[in-house]
């Protein structure tokens, strides 16, 4: 029996148990996207009822950043705040069903692969600007949510998130397999130019970008991948979505290769968000450094055998690209 067949059998057993009636799975397919986790698309069928669902499965314990129920709770919090996300239908940490913890969400039609998103934008007049504004509005709604509602196991800064981010970056720098003068230069710049502590802490998605959103001809349909959601500085999210690596060669448009910073900011402010430009610029630089160090760390996971994965191994080839991005940010002054 193949892994997909075993997964289908396990999901059918879980849903039958949860819904208290026999459930069969149809149109089962493995999504092509997702480097760290397995995403299975299917129709859950029980009698005349048919629901399109997605199972997000963590195949190895070492790949789980947060317990699966914590991530599911982030989706539910965001949905309550008015941010477009897939609805959660179930969550289980019982590995006997599909070999790892998982949660089930509604299947939402649309594009998720970045180049497909950009192709859709290219052929749909006005979509790029509208999408960037919708992204800004979605983040503002999330940032307006009460951070007290975040799961107790979700990360919370022990003080100023600026200081916490610098401490984490220093640790990742020290943990590199080989030194990076460029990343060290950026780290020192960030220390010298650190902004004051934010006025308030908010719920932060942590990885909101082109590649973690579902997009249709009408624009933003859902935000995905909530495993690094935490409490922190809201400008962290706005800086992250503007990183060059999420533009996929469409560098002239800062927001995901489809929109401008002005569009993002307009959407954010129209939905009640408080935009802080100097803080945005600092987090944009920190995000570039953080991702470069993260790629190096992913490659290290493969090299030390903790998570054997050709996908993680390939991450190492992009470290030099992030060093270039870092230098360009520092040299151009965040234009």
């Amino acid at each position: 029996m193949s892994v997909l067949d075993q997964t289908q059998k396990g999901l059918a057993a879980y849903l039958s148990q949860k819904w208290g009636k026999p459930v069969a799975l149809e149109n089962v397919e493995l999504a092509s996207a997702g480097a760290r986790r397995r995403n299975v698309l299917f129709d859950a069928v029980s009698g005349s009822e048919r629901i399109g669902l997605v199972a997000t499965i963590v195949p190895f314990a070492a790949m789980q950043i947060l317990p699966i129920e914590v991530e599911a709770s982030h989706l539910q919090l965001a949905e309550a705040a008015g941010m477009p996300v897939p609805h959660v239908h179930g969550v289980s940490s019982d590995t006997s069903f599909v070999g790892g913890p998982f949660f089930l969400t509604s299947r939402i039609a649309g594009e998720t692969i970045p180049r497909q998103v950009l192709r859709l934008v290219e052929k749909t007049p006005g979509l790029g600007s509208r999408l960037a504004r919708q992204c800004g509005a979605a983040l503002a709604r999330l940032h307006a949510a009460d951070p007290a509602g975040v799961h107790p196991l979700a990360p919370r800064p022990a003080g100023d998130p600026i200081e916490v981010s610098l401490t984490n970056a220093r640790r990742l720098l020290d943990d590199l397999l080989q030194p990076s003068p460029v990343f060290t230069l950026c780290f020192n710049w960030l220390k010298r130019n650190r902004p004051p502590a934010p006025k308030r802490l908010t719920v932060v998605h942590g990885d909101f970008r082109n590649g973690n959103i579902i997009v249709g001809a009408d624009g933003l349909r859902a935000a995905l991948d909530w495993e690094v959601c935490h409490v922190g500085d809201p400008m962290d999210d706005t800086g992250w979505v503007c990183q060059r690596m999420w533009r996929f060669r469409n560098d002239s448009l800062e927001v995901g290769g489809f929109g401008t910073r002005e569009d993002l900011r307009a959407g954010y402010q129209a939905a009640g968000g408080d935009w802080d430009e100097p803080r945005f610029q600092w987090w944009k630089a920190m995000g570039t450094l953080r991702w470069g160090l993260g790629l190096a760390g992913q490659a290290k996971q493969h090299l030390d055998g903790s998570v054997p994965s050709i996908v993680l191994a390939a991450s190492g080839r992009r470290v030099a690209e992030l060093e270039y991005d870092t230098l360009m940010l520092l040299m151009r002054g965040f234009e």
Side-chain angles (χ1 to χ4, degrees):
M1 183 181 295
S2 69
V3 172
L4 190 58
D5 288 338
Q6 292 174 338
T7 300
Q8 179 173 345
K9 181 180 178 181
L11 290 173
Y14 169 78
L15 285 170
S16 297
Q17 184 182 105
K18 181 175 178 61
W19 292 352
K21 55 184 178 180
V23 177
L25 268 61
E26 296 182 2
N27 303 319
V28 182
E29 59 178 308
L30 185 65
S32 58
R36 302 177 65 257
R37 304 188 293 180
R38 192 164 70 245
N39 294 297
V40 180
L41 287 61
F42 62 94
D43 291 334
V45 182
S46 181
S48 61
E49 185 179 17
R50 178 182 294 269
I51 303 177
L53 297 176
V54 178
T56 299
I57 303 167
V58 182
F60 303 108
M63 285 189 170
Q64 183 167 272
I65 297 174
L66 290 173
I68 203 74
E69 63 271 15
V70 177
E71 182 174 359
S73 75
H74 294 157
L75 282 157
Q76 293 166 327
L77 182 151
E79 184 178 26
M83 189 178 196
V85 295
H87 179 73
V88 176
H89 288 268
V91 57
S92 177
S93 57
D94 186 344
T95 61
S96 67
F97 288 108
V98 294
F102 65 95
F103 62 84
L104 303 176
T105 55
S106 298
R107 189 171 73 236
I108 298 175
E111 302 292 351
T112 57
I113 298 173
R115 290 303 305 171
Q116 300 284 16
V117 169
L118 296 185
R119 290 189 185 101
L120 178 62
V121 167
E122 288 170 5
K123 69 180 184 181
T124 309
L127 177 57
S129 176
R130 181 167 68 251
L131 178 57
R133 286 172 178 262
Q134 290 171 332
C135 286
L139 287 175
R141 294 188 189 100
L142 176 68
H143 297 162
D146 185 354
V150 174
H151 195 286
L153 294 180
R156 296 170 182 267
D160 181 2
I162 302 293
E163 181 60 36
V164 171
S165 186
L166 286 168
T167 298
N168 290 339
R170 178 73 265 176
R171 175 179 53 80
L172 292 172
L173 268 175
D174 294 340
D175 204 32
L176 289 173
L177 290 178
Q178 61 186 33
S180 170
V182 172
F183 289 156
T184 301
L185 174 69
C186 183
F187 175 80
N188 290 335
W189 184 93
L190 288 164
K191 284 192 67 175
R192 290 194 306 271
N193 295 276
R194 55 184 297 168
K199 297 175 184 177
R200 69 184 185 95
L201 300 181
T202 69
V203 182
V204 175
H205 180 284
D207 198 13
F208 184 86
R209 58 178 176 83
N210 190 2
N212 280 340
I213 55 177
I214 301 177
V215 179
D218 54 342
L220 180 66
R221 292 181 176 173
L224 306 174
D225 204 351
W226 289 79
E227 62 180 336
V228 293
C229 179
H230 61 281
V231 175
D233 187 330
M235 288 294 101
D236 187 354
D237 270 338
T238 61
W240 187 252
V241 71
C242 289
Q243 302 295 324
R244 191 178 79 90
M245 57 271 190
W246 312 134
R247 301 175 204 165
F248 300 91
R249 296 182 294 182
N250 205 14
D251 286 351
S252 62
L253 293 172
E254 187 175 15
V255 183
F258 53 76
T260 66
R261 186 191 310 181
E262 289 71 24
D263 287 327
L264 180 74
R265 181 169 55 222
Y268 190 79
Q269 292 175 327
D274 182 15
W275 186 280
D276 185 326
E277 185 67 20
R279 188 179 299 278
F280 161 83
Q281 293 179 354
W282 191 91
W283 278 108
K284 185 178 176 183
M286 171 55 81
T288 304
L289 171 65
R290 187 171 60 204
W291 184 230
L293 294 172
L295 288 170
Q298 288 182 11
K300 184 180 179 182
Q301 282 184 296
H302 173 77
L303 292 171
D304 67 16
S306 59
V307 185
S309 166
I310 190 61
V311 175
L312 296 185
S315 296
R317 68 183 173 83
R318 296 198 61 199
V319 172
E321 178 186 346
L322 271 294
E323 289 178 321
Y324 171 84
D325 289 350
T326 300
L327 285 174
M328 291 302 100
L329 274 178
L330 297 178
M331 183 178 75
R332 295 173 179 169
F334 308 95
E335 61 185 21

